[in-house]
Amino acid sequence: MSKEINFAHFRQLLRQRRETLQALNDIGHEASATVELDQSKVGRLSRMDALQAQAMSQETGRRHQLELGQIEAALRRIESGDYGYCMECGERIAEARLGFSPATPLCITCAEKAE
């Protein structure tokens, strides 16, 4: 007999992660702003460093947005009663996997196939 998924626990984990990502996005927004290219203010190497930091910040922001989308989808699955079941094969996702990655929509077998 398998035990039921603790939806409240996973809902809380997902909401906490969402809050963390939103806070990180707020902080990172400034770092991804347009780089000032006025040579009288910064040297060439400093501009290159700033452009690299900007690109890294933009990629981090993109990844955060992707994860936020996955979190929102997982919260919708909790509300609909589909949470904890693989979106591909319909089998139950191991609770240890959900504990590691609460927003995951796939069981380990289907995730490995997808890679």
Side-chain angles (χ1 to χ4, degrees):
M1 186 167 123
S2 64
K3 72 178 194 175
E4 290 296 313
I5 296 173
N6 185 343
F7 292 114
H9 169 73
F10 288 109
R11 183 181 296 118
Q12 180 182 3
L13 287 177
L14 289 162
R15 287 179 176 167
Q16 287 172 342
R17 180 65 181 158
R18 180 177 60 188
E19 289 175 17
T20 299
L21 288 171
Q22 288 170 337
L24 288 171
N25 277 344
D26 292 344
I27 293 167
H29 181 71
E30 186 176 307
S32 64
T34 304
V35 174
E36 181 67 44
L37 296 177
D38 184 355
Q39 288 187 358
S40 66
K41 293 184 179 180
V42 292
R44 191 167 126 201
L45 291 177
S46 295
R47 282 194 318 277
M48 290 171 58
D49 287 342
L51 287 169
Q52 182 180 20
Q54 176 192 36
M56 290 170 51
S57 179
Q58 288 172 340
E59 176 59 18
T60 299
R62 186 192 68 77
R63 288 177 187 221
H64 287 170
Q65 289 302 317
L66 179 64
E67 187 177 351
L68 284 168
Q70 292 169 340
I71 288 169
E72 293 302 328
L75 289 169
R76 285 191 301 273
R77 288 194 305 276
I78 287 174
E79 296 308 315
S80 71
D82 294 327
Y83 183 79
Y85 294 92
C86 180
M87 299 291 289
E88 189 67 32
C89 70
E91 292 295 318
R92 187 132 178 216
I93 299 172
E95 192 161 349
R97 179 164 169 76
L98 290 173
F100 178 75
S101 181
T104 190
L106 302 174
C107 69
I108 192 71
T109 303
C110 290
E112 287 173 348
K113 287 179 188 175
E115 290 177 359

